[in-house]
Amino acid sequence: MSCSSLESLTRCSVAVDLGAARTRVYAKGSGLIVDQPSVVAVNTHSGTLIAVGQAAERMDGRTPQHIQVIRPVSGGHVVDIEMARRMVRALLGDKLHGLRRRRTMKQAVATIPHDADPLTRRATIETLSGVGARHVELVEAPIAAAIGCGLPVVRAEGAMVLLCGTTTTQVAVVSLGCVVAAGTVGLGGDTIHHSVVQYLRNRHELLLPSQEVRPLHLALLGNGDLGNELGTVEVQGRDVVSGLARTVAIDPEEVRGAVQTPLTGVLDTIRVVLHRCPPDLVADLAERGMVLAGGTARLPGLADQLREHTGMAVHVAEEPDLCAINGLAALMRAGAEAADAGAPVPESSAHPAAEREVIGSPAPVAAAEGVPVPEQEAG
């Protein structure tokens, strides 16, 4: 393990997890200061930012033509740098003011997908540079999630983590601080969402608005408060034939079958990743099993299906949606102690100095959306 890479991460004071579903920001000494949906609402006529986060998410599907709801992050990739920059700046807002004297945004660390290309790395760095970060370190999301789950990342042992996101699921086997084998499948929470909507359209001839899928998700998780004595959940949508509003009582058990079909793609990816692993690591995985992280990890039946088809033990991490940001926080807080405690910094997580000079060079930063940029020290 490189001492320089360890020190570069411990010098960071802000961790950012730019996810397709939510953006999370952790500040050293202050904890999780931002946990909001990665959504912005923009006036297309004037370019004005109308809302961000949860407020913008509520506008989705309810806006007039001149207001557009944009998701600047997809599958862990920043697809719209300018909008992502404005979103992060607005989400920080007053929190940035409170941390200004400590120059919190001077050095930051962020997650990227395992298969991130140079353009994806540059987009993430430029996004954070636009909100005041003078130096940005990048850590692969499966590594950060594995650390957040408490897996032995730097030991000579195999550990498998499934990072189940909104648009993609990353399957990775880590050992000695590196990703030995990995695969990404375009299946996630959005896929499950669309499967539920399509099922209700075909089975009940009902077009379901996006906000009505949430009660069904909660019912699948076993929240008995949402249903009646019979365990049904009432959802309201538009009738396909008449176009009028209609309410239908849905049994969560019938929806479970609809969400199982897309999960077969995850099983295929797991098999491919296992085939790429050395036999000794596969033996470790057979003993230890796999850990599910990410917001979709709580989906009912996912762990059971993986256990049934792979024959491996499957564990769902504590607070799976926070594993990645918790892993980054552990790297920043613990420093050298993290390596001894089983949450070390993987050597491959930090970029070499030469690459940082090219990709992470300081960029001119200007105030935007009425939020001043924190003071920066001269390089």
Side-chain angles (χ1 to χ4, degrees), residues 212-300:
E212 286 293 331
V213 181
R214 176 65 176 169
L216 282 176
H217 283 180
L218 294 178
L220 289 175
L221 292 174
N223 190 337
D225 298 335
L226 292 176
N228 56 23
E229 293 80 359
L230 300 178
T232 59
V233 179
E234 290 189 351
V235 293
Q236 187 176 33
R238 189 180 70 187
D239 189 276
V240 174
V241 179
S242 66
L244 301 177
R246 182 160 62 94
T247 301
V248 176
I250 304 297
D251 184 0
E253 288 300 325
E254 65 175 308
V255 182
R256 291 181 190 270
V259 302
Q260 296 298 322
T261 304
L263 301 180
T264 56
V266 178
L267 295 171
D268 294 337
T269 305
I270 292 175
R271 294 189 186 100
V272 171
V273 171
L274 290 176
H275 285 160
R276 296 175 183 170
C277 288
D280 290 342
L281 287 184
V282 176
D284 292 341
L285 299 178
E287 181 180 351
R288 177 177 287 113
M290 67 182 77
V291 178
L292 306 185
T296 314
R298 290 195 178 102
L299 184 70

Side-chain angles (χ1 to χ4, degrees), residues 83-261:
M83 284 300 168
R85 190 179 289 176
R86 296 171 71 180
M87 177 188 70
V88 174
R89 182 181 295 275
L91 289 177
L92 286 173
D94 295 338
K95 304 175 184 65
L96 195 63
H97 282 292
L99 303 173
R100 181 175 180 178
R101 292 183 180 179
R102 292 156 53 185
R103 294 177 172 84
T104 303
M105 287 298 294
K106 182 181 177 183
Q107 296 192 23
V109 57
T111 56
I112 56 171
H114 168 70
D115 57 352
D117 54 25
L119 291 179
T120 300
R121 296 171 182 264
R122 182 182 293 274
T124 303
I125 291 174
E126 289 186 0
T127 298
L128 297 184
S129 297
V131 294
R134 294 284 301 275
H135 184 84
V136 179
E137 294 283 348
L138 301 178
V139 174
E140 293 178 352
I143 291 288
I147 295 174
C149 294
L151 294 177
V153 175
V154 299
R155 299 177 189 171
E157 304 174 9
M160 174 178 279
V161 59
L162 268 69
L163 188 55
C164 309
T166 300
T167 56
T168 60
T169 296
Q170 299 180 62
V171 182
V173 176
V174 298
S175 178
L176 292 174
C178 299
V179 175
V180 178
T184 302
V185 57
L187 296 173
D190 280 352
T191 309
I192 305 302
H193 175 99
H194 295 315
S195 298
V196 172
V197 172
Q198 191 63 34
Y199 171 80
L200 292 177
R201 178 171 183 169
N202 297 337
R203 177 69 175 81
H204 297 279
E205 297 184 342
L206 191 72
L207 290 176
L208 205 64
S210 57
Q211 68 274 10
E212 286 293 331
V213 181
R214 176 65 176 169
L216 282 176
H217 283 180
L218 294 178
L220 289 175
L221 292 174
N223 190 337
D225 298 335
L226 292 176
N228 56 23
E229 293 80 359
L230 300 178
T232 59
V233 179
E234 290 189 351
V235 293
Q236 187 176 33
R238 189 180 70 187
D239 189 276
V240 174
V241 179
S242 66
L244 301 177
R246 182 160 62 94
T247 301
V248 176
I250 304 297
D251 184 0
E253 288 300 325
E254 65 175 308
V255 182
R256 291 181 190 270
V259 302
Q260 296 298 322
T261 304

Side-chain angles (χ1 to χ4, degrees), residues 305-324:
Q305 185 172 1
L306 294 177
R307 190 178 299 111
E308 177 183 352
H309 287 81
T310 63
M312 300 169 58
V314 180
H315 312 281
V316 179
E318 245 184 86
E319 297 183 320
D321 48 342
L322 298 179
C323 283

